[in-house]
Amino acid sequence: MTEPHAPASASACALAPSSSADGCWQNLRLAPDMFEAGQAVGDGEDACIVVQQGRVAWVGPQQALPPAYASLPRHDGQGMLATPGLVDCHTHLVYGGERANEFAMRLDGASYEEVARAGGGIVSSVRATREASEDELFAQALPRLQQLLDEGVCAIEIKSGYGLALEHERKQLRVARRLGQTLGVTVRTTFLGAHALPPEYAGRSQDYIDLVAGTMLPALAAEGLVDAVDVFCERIAFSLAETEQVFQAARRLGLPVKLHAEQLSNMEGAALAARYGALSCDHIEHLSESGITAMRGAGSVAVLLPGAYYTLHDTHMPPIAGLRAAGVPMAVSTDHNPGTSPCLSLLLMANMACTLFRLTVPEALAGITRHAARALGLQDEHGLIAAGRPAHFVLWPVRHVAELAYWFGSKPDCTIVRQGRIVRTRRQGSH
Ligand code: NIG
Ligand code: FE
C-alpha cells in the first residue's frame, strides 16, 4: 500500500479542477449550531446559502430567500446536510520519512518515553527532515494534506519542529506556506523550534533555548513564516522556565502562543500558557483543576488529540468533565505526525473523541469547526456559516448530523466549497 504516503506529483493534487461557488445553493439542510441565519431555520427545513464573490451573502430558510437573490445561478444541494468547512488545528504535517518501526517497538512493550530516550522519537524524524530538500518535503506532505482536504478540511495548522536548526525549521515553514498557496487552503504556521533537544545540543538545553528564542524565532518571524509559537513542555522535552523564555520572545514579537501541555505528566504548563494568553493548550491528559481554571480565565481552547492518546495506548483521559463544567471550549484535531498520530482523517478524530473521551456529538463537531477555528485565532473567518464570511462549507450525504461522528473508516462522498470555489463535487446518485 503506497498510495497515501508515497510522494505524488504536485500537479496531481494542485491542478484539481475547481469552479466558482457563486450563486444560490438550494435544497440543503443546515447542521444545528453551525450557522448564523438572519431568520430561524427549523431542524431539517429546506435551506439555502447564497455565495457572492466568494463570500457567504445570505443563509436561511428557502422560503425566506430575499427576491434579490432569486435570479442568481443555482446549485442543487441534493438535500445534503451543510456544515462549515472543517478546521484541523494541530498538525505536524511536514516531515521527512515515517516511523513505523516505533509503532512495532511500542507493540513490543516500549513506551514513547523509552523510544525517545533511546534516540528514536522526534529526533529520528529530525534526521529525515534535515536530509530532505524543500521540494522533497513538499512532495511528501502534499498527498497527506490532500487526504485531509478531501474530507472537508478548509483550514489547517502546520507546525515546524522537525528541523531544530534555523535552515531546517525555515524549510518546514516555507513548505507549509507553499502547501496553502498550492492547494488553496488556509494554513496557519506555528513555530515549534522547542519540540525536542537536537542531538548536537545534548546536555546544553539552555544554549538551545537561547538559540530558539534569541535567533531562530526572530529570524523566521521577520521572514513572515510564523503565525504562532508552540513549545513541547514535558520532562522529555523542555521545562517550565525554558518554555517561558520562548513565550517571552513570542510576546516581544507580538505572536500568540500555544502549548503541548500535560501530555505525559502534569508540569503546570497550561497555567503558564494561560498567563501568556495562549490560544490553546493541547493534549492535556494530565491537566489539573488549577490548569482548567487558568485556561478558563485566559479564554484558551483545550485541544484534544485522541489519535496520540490511542497510538500511545494511553489510559489517562483528559479531564473532560472538568473542562465542560468550566465552559472551556474543546477542540479536536488529528495531531498528524509520524510518531504518535499518523492519522489523516479529522472525522475519525471526532469519532474517537466521542468513543474514547465521551464527548457528545455536538461537542465533537464544534471541536472540529468553531472551537478549532478559535484555537488558531481564525474565529472570524472559519468554523461557522454566516453572512460576510468567506465561503467554506461542506455538503454531506447524510440524514442525521450524528453520522459525521458515527461512521469510521469510510470517506464520505461530500461536496466541498473552499475559499469560494467548488473543489469537490459529490458523485451523482451516490447517496
Ligand atoms: O503532538 N508531543 C509532542 N509532539 C508530537 C509528537 C511528535 C513525534 O513523536 O514526532 C505530538 O504528539
Ligand atoms: Fe503535537
Side-chain angles (χ1 to χ4, degrees), residues 90 92 99 112 122 162 195 232 260 263 283 335 337 339-340:
H90 178 139
H92 309 248
R99 306 223 301 273
Y112 184 58
I122 295 170
Y162 292 121
H195 193 196
F232 185 17
H260 279 73
Q263 180 187 10
H283 286 288
D335 188 19
N337 75 76
T340 65

Side-chain angles (χ1 to χ4, degrees), residues 200-214:
E200 64 275 18
Y201 277 85
R204 294 189 296 134
S205 194
Q206 184 58 54
D207 289 351
Y208 181 63
I209 288 297
D210 289 347
L211 180 78
V212 165

Side-chain angles (χ1 to χ4, degrees), residues 33 52 57 102 116 145 164 233 245 261 266 270 282 292 298 331 351 356 370 404 416 423:
D33 302 327
Q52 284 187 309
E102 290 177 16
L145 178 55
L164 309 187
C233 180
Q245 192 179 330
N266 178 23
D282 304 36
I292 294 175
N351 170 276
L356 298 179
R370 64 182 181 280
L404 298 179
I416 302 172
V423 295

Side-chain angles (χ1 to χ4, degrees), residues 90-92 95 99 102 106 112 116 120-126 159 161-162 192 195 230-234 236-237 260-261 263-264 282-283 305 307-309 312 334-341:
H90 178 139
T91 86
H92 309 248
Y95 54 83
R99 306 223 301 273
E102 290 177 16
R106 282 195 305 272
Y112 184 58
I122 295 170
V123 167
S124 78
S125 292
V126 171
K159 301 176 193 291
Y162 292 121
L192 180 57
H195 193 196
D230 192 354
V231 174
F232 185 17
C233 180
E234 191 52 70
I236 56 165
H260 279 73
Q263 180 187 10
L264 308 172
D282 304 36
H283 286 288
L305 305 171
Y309 175 91
L312 297 180
T334 60
D335 188 19
H336 178 90
N337 75 76
T340 65
S341 193

